[in-house]
Amino acid sequence: MRHDPLHQPIATAAAPGKFILHGEHAVVYGVPAIACPVDGVQATAQVFTKDTPGIVVDAVDLNAQIRTQTDLDHPLSLATNNLLTHLGISAPPGLTVKLQSTIPIAAGLGSGAAITTALISALAQALGHQLDAATISNLVFEIEKLFHGTPSGIDNTVVAYAQPVWFIRDKELTPLKTNIPFHILIADTGIASETVTAVAGVRQRFEANPAQYQAYFDAIADLSHKAKASIETGDPSALGPLFNENQRLLQQIGVSNAALDALVSAATQAGALGAKLSGGGLGGNMIALVTQDTIDTVTTALQQAGATRVIHTYVQ
Ligand code: MEV
């Protein structure tokens, strides 16, 4: 570990937010999904030395100081202690990790995964280890599983790799190369998206009606494949109709709501090439495919339709 005479951080790391382009919910059942990082919002971790041994996480946005050797049940303690076990360290030196995030919480933008990713990655560096994205993603997934029911692993994967990904549950990840970059607007309904509740609701309805739900998932798989082809080799404007079709399926599986539907129609009426909810649904965010020329008009239309925040991101 490096010396710290001016009390500068001895290690820093950042992790982006994420949005799901296609395949949310169906991904839990093995359907391929596409997810992209959102670089405009991020979680950051800075590690400082301190005189007393043990690791304290200073979660600035939560106004909480978590002592990872005594607040054992806290997710950030579990993440820290799992990392120490992974690195074979039983008596950590005195460190404070200052954690901050600009990623909206409970919005389907991967804030939990990003905070844990930044923490693990900065702490590992401070302890003299450079972990690869796969290892960080696995360590984050352990925490996601404890607190998010039955996650597919897509959030930790896209956030830890920080690049567009083609993701199939329990399979090796394929990074996605974009042929032509494209513009996405991400608009927030302002309603908290409880992913665990949404995923559990789909599970219940799937179990009550497996053939119908399998048909929905198969249709979503088809959209993911078509979207992958147009991202990698074609023209991203072809993604627009695929968004609209996916939104119709997400409505059928019961994860859209009036606020999401209103933002989706406002975006398409204002000239977006397509729009759909993104992530867990029942609130949270929707995404709209726009061009350079329609960014402003669609942003205004989304705000007028009640969006509490609109983020522009460029997928490349
Ligand atoms: C959440 O970002 C995406 C869901 O498909 C849940 C998951 O994959 O774990 C809704």
Side-chain angles (χ1 to χ4, degrees):
M1 215 167 29
R2 285 190 286 125
H3 202 51
D4 176 27
L6 300 171
H7 216 61
Q8 296 294 317
I10 57 165
T12 59
K18 73 97 200 4
F19 72 91
I20 296 191
L21 195 87
H22 275 291
E24 51 274 275
H25 287 289
V27 69
V28 174
Y29 300 81
V31 163
I34 298 172
C36 306
V38 182
D39 294 326
V41 286
Q42 61 175 8
T44 53
Q46 296 176 296
V47 187
F48 299 86
T49 54
K50 67 176 172 61
D51 294 337
T52 48
I55 298 174
V56 170
V57 178
D58 180 9
V60 177
D61 307 312
L62 303 176
N63 200 13
Q65 301 245 325
I66 300 130
R67 286 165 211 291
T68 59
Q69 279 154 317
T70 48
D71 301 330
L72 290 176
D73 291 338
H74 195 286
L76 297 174
S77 299
L78 291 164
T80 302
N81 293 326
N82 282 357
L83 172 69
L84 294 175
T85 307
H86 176 83
L87 299 177
I89 297 172
S90 52
L95 297 173
T96 298
V97 189
K98 188 173 165 193
L99 266 185
Q100 282 170 293
S101 172
T102 55
I103 307 171
I105 296 169
L109 293 179
S111 101
I115 287 168
T116 317
T117 299
L119 169 71
I120 288 175
S121 153
L123 253 184
Q125 282 175 51
L127 294 164
H129 296 260
Q130 195 72 40
L131 300 183
D132 62 16
T135 308
I136 294 174
S137 177
N138 288 338
L139 286 164
V140 178
F141 189 42
E142 291 310 309
I143 307 304
E144 295 273 295
K145 279 195 284 198
L146 292 175
F147 294 94
H148 299 290
T150 54
S152 62
I154 192 167
D155 285 17
N156 46 284
T157 302
V158 62
V159 165
Y161 282 81
Q163 59 180 314
V165 295
W166 171 255
F167 176 89
I168 303 175
R169 185 175 193 155
D170 302 327
K171 295 261 166 65
E172 195 144 315
L173 154 99
T174 321
L176 210 57
K177 291 262 170 292
T178 44
N179 182 35
I180 306 173
F182 52 96
H183 296 274
I184 293 284
L185 293 176
I186 306 171
D188 198 337
T189 57
I191 301 168
S193 171
E194 301 299 345
T195 302
V196 180
T197 314
V199 170
V202 174
R203 168 75 59 193
Q204 235 171 25
R205 294 188 290 280
F206 168 75
E207 280 167 5
N209 203 344
Q212 179 65 75
Y213 271 70
Q214 193 53 56
Y216 294 145
F217 297 152
D218 291 346
I220 293 173
D222 189 44
L223 295 175
S224 287
H225 281 282
K226 286 181 175 148
K228 179 175 189 276
S230 66
I231 289 170
E232 286 183 327
T233 54
D235 171 3
S237 65
L239 285 173
L242 306 178
F243 276 23
N244 297 338
E245 179 59 15
N246 199 344
Q247 172 63 13
R248 203 178 56 74
L249 289 159
L250 289 162
Q251 284 168 336
Q252 284 171 333
I253 67 171
V255 293
S256 195
N257 68 3
L260 286 163
D261 291 345
L263 294 185
V264 166
S265 13
T268 40
Q269 276 163 28
L273 298 168
K276 63 180 276 289
L277 72 84
S278 178
L282 301 179
N285 278 278
M286 52 74 72
I287 54 173
L289 180 69
V290 290
T291 60
Q292 182 73 55
D293 294 344
T294 54
I295 294 172
D296 291 345
T297 336
V298 178
T299 300
T300 306
L302 285 165
Q303 285 161 341
Q304 283 169 352
T308 54
R309 177 190 301 105
V310 182
I311 298 170
H312 166 233
T313 193
Y314 193 51
V315 181
Q316 50 191 331

